[in-house]
């Protein structure tokens, strides 16, 4: 999952493709049980992949943040209601803005 998720995050971040379609691909990749919600291990997989991507992206831009800070930031933006679940709508509404903030 790692390489594919990283490529999709990069594509979403670059804005070169259809952002909604790329978010759908990412969501479908992570939503292993096809429930329409990322929770439990799926939620953690998203947080792991997004944190790894953001740490690298911010480092390239000359910023230094630690992993717990990035995780907290992602959770605040992506899982704004704090329920430990990410819906497709939440991901579509917030992911691009979060990735753009790293530039």
């Amino acid at each position: 999952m790692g390489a594919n998720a990283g490529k999709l995050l990069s594509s979403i971040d670059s804005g070169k493709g259809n952002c909604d379609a790329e978010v759908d691909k990412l969501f479908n990749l992570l939503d292993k049980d096809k429930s329409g919600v990322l929770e439990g291990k799926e939620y953690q997989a998203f947080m792991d992949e997004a944190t790894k991507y953001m740490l690298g992206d911010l480092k390239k831009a000359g910023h230094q943040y630690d992993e717990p800070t990035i995780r907290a930031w992602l959770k605040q933006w992506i899982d704004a209601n704090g329920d430990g679940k990410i819906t497709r709508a939440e991901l579509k509404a917030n992911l691009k803005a979060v990735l753009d903030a790293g530039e």
Side-chain angles (χ1 to χ4, degrees):
M1 173 182 1
N4 289 336
K7 285 180 184 179
L8 288 168
L9 286 165
S10 180
S11 179
I12 294 163
D13 192 16
S14 73
K16 292 180 182 173
N18 178 331
C19 187
D20 279 350
E22 297 298 300
V23 172
D24 279 334
K25 288 178 190 174
L26 178 63
F27 192 90
N28 291 337
L29 177 70
L30 296 168
D31 186 18
K32 299 291 186 192
D33 65 2
K34 306 302 177 206
S35 67
V37 177
L38 303 180
E39 57 188 329
K41 289 180 182 179
E42 297 166 341
Y43 182 92
Q44 289 307 316
F46 168 77
M47 293 299 287
D48 292 347
E49 293 295 334
T51 299
K52 182 173 140 184
Y53 179 82
M54 287 296 299
L55 281 169
D57 196 42
L58 288 165
K59 187 174 181 179
K60 282 188 239 174
H63 303 289
Q64 290 293 337
Y65 292 95
D66 60 11
E67 186 174 325
T69 300
I70 298 298
R71 279 187 178 277
W73 186 44
L74 283 166
K75 185 173 181 175
Q76 182 179 12
W77 278 78
I78 302 293
D79 183 21
N81 64 3
D83 65 356
K85 300 175 184 177
I86 302 169
T87 65
R88 185 181 305 268
E90 286 175 319
L91 202 60
K92 280 188 175 183
N94 300 313
L95 184 58
K96 178 74 171 125
V98 169
L99 295 176
D100 285 349
E103 296 174 354

